[in-house]
């Protein structure tokens, strides 16, 4: 993989604007949630009010980020019954996603947070469980300085167009596909 070694100063053109951003971390590569958690941790370190909502992930799951958040008194709310490909009741999976979105809408509009993460939110949008138009309309109404980070594969084109910052994680090599190495605690969950 070639890199450009020439460094160029890229000055900001026009006025310097301060506003809360809508950030989307998408793509097939690993690191979408991890990147969002990095921002959450950075913001928390600056005494900003942070909260994370997880879609699809099992409500009672105790992944590493949940355990760390509890120790730091950071709120992570998971509402789901596990990943969609393992669902035994897709109607319940869809209903939980819609319920979580209603909770998220209230949090986004409440002006009680500086950073909100909607982890794996692209899936309910992609599958049509939550209308993309509803999500964008809610994001248009968010408080001016609220940053909202949305993660997950298959980000809808309308969301990508609306967002201020979009990063696509691209898989180049993966230990499971290449070597059969399964997800490991601390690295993937």
């Amino acid at each position: 993989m070639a890199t450009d070694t020439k460094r160029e100063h890229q000055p900001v053109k026009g006025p310097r604007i301060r506003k809360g951003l809508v950030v989307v971390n998408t793509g097939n590569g690993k690191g979408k949630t991890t990147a969002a958690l990095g921002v959450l941790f950075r913001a928390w370190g600056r005494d900003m009010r942070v909260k994370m909502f997880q879609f699809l992930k099992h409500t009672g799951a105790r992944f590493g980020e949940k355990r760390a958040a509890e120790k730091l008194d950071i709120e992570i709310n998971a509402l789901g019954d596990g990943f969609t490909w393992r669902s035994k009741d897709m109607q319940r999976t869809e209903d939980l996603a819609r319920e979580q979105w209603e909770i998220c809408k209230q949090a986004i509009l409440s002006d009680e947070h500086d950073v909100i993460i909607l982890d794996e939110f692209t899936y309910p949008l992609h599958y049509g469980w939550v209308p993309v138009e509803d999500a964008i309309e809610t994001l248009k109404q968010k408080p001016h300085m609220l940053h909202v980070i949305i993660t997950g594969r298959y980000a809808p084109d309308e969301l990508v167009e609306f967002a201020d910052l979009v990063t696509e994680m691209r898989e180049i090599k993966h230990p499971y596909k290449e070597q059969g190495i399964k997800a490991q605690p601390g690295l993937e969950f």
Side-chain angles (χ1 to χ4, degrees):
M1 180 180 282
T3 58
D4 184 9
T5 57
K6 186 172 141 183
R7 298 196 192 266
E8 219 175 274
H9 176 67
Q10 297 181 358
V12 174
K13 295 178 179 152
R16 292 182 185 252
I17 299 169
R18 286 183 42 92
K19 76 169 224 167
L21 302 179
V22 173
V23 177
V24 176
N25 296 339
T26 193
N28 291 335
K30 182 182 165 358
K32 297 173 286 291
T33 298
T34 305
L37 285 164
V39 173
L40 184 86
F41 183 68
R42 177 180 284 160
W44 176 84
R46 293 223 174 234
D47 295 323
M48 294 172 79
R49 301 165 300 163
V50 300
K51 189 165 187 176
M52 181 174 192
F53 295 93
Q54 293 179 316
F55 288 79
L56 306 181
K57 293 180 180 172
H58 196 281
T59 303
R62 305 264 309 132
F63 295 122
E65 65 265 24
K66 178 79 170 168
R67 294 173 189 207
E70 287 171 357
K71 291 176 183 178
L72 299 172
D73 200 27
I74 295 173
E75 198 171 351
I76 295 181
N77 290 7
L79 184 60
D81 59 356
F83 295 100
T84 55
W85 59 89
R86 292 186 178 165
S87 180
K88 292 176 175 62
D89 182 352
M90 281 307 293
Q91 187 60 54
R92 176 156 169 68
T93 300
E94 294 175 27
D95 289 344
L96 288 170
R98 282 189 282 272
E99 182 181 340
Q100 180 75 314
W101 171 236
E102 291 302 318
I103 295 166
C104 291
K105 283 179 16 178
Q106 291 176 13
I108 289 167
L109 299 174
S110 73
D111 203 15
E112 295 176 3
H113 305 92
D114 300 304
V115 176
I116 291 178
I117 296 176
L118 305 178
D119 186 35
E120 311 290 8
F121 184 50
T122 59
Y123 292 100
L125 296 173
H126 173 73
Y127 294 134
W129 306 341
V130 172
V132 176
E133 302 78 26
D134 185 24
I136 290 174
E137 202 49 49
T138 300
L139 293 169
K140 285 179 180 177
Q141 297 174 45
K142 73 175 186 57
H144 183 69
M145 287 307 298
L146 173 64
H147 302 289
V148 178
I149 303 171
I150 299 168
T151 72
R153 296 177 184 213
Y154 318 121
D157 291 340
E158 302 91 335
L159 178 63
V160 168
E161 179 66 30
F162 176 77
D164 299 293
L165 172 62
V166 179
T167 299
E168 181 178 6
M169 309 307 197
R170 185 171 61 92
E171 181 181 306
I172 295 173
K173 188 176 182 180
H174 197 287
Y176 179 71
K177 291 178 181 176
E178 305 293 322
Q179 303 170 53
I181 299 171
K182 295 192 180 220
Q184 299 179 63
L187 192 60
E188 280 93 8
F189 60 92

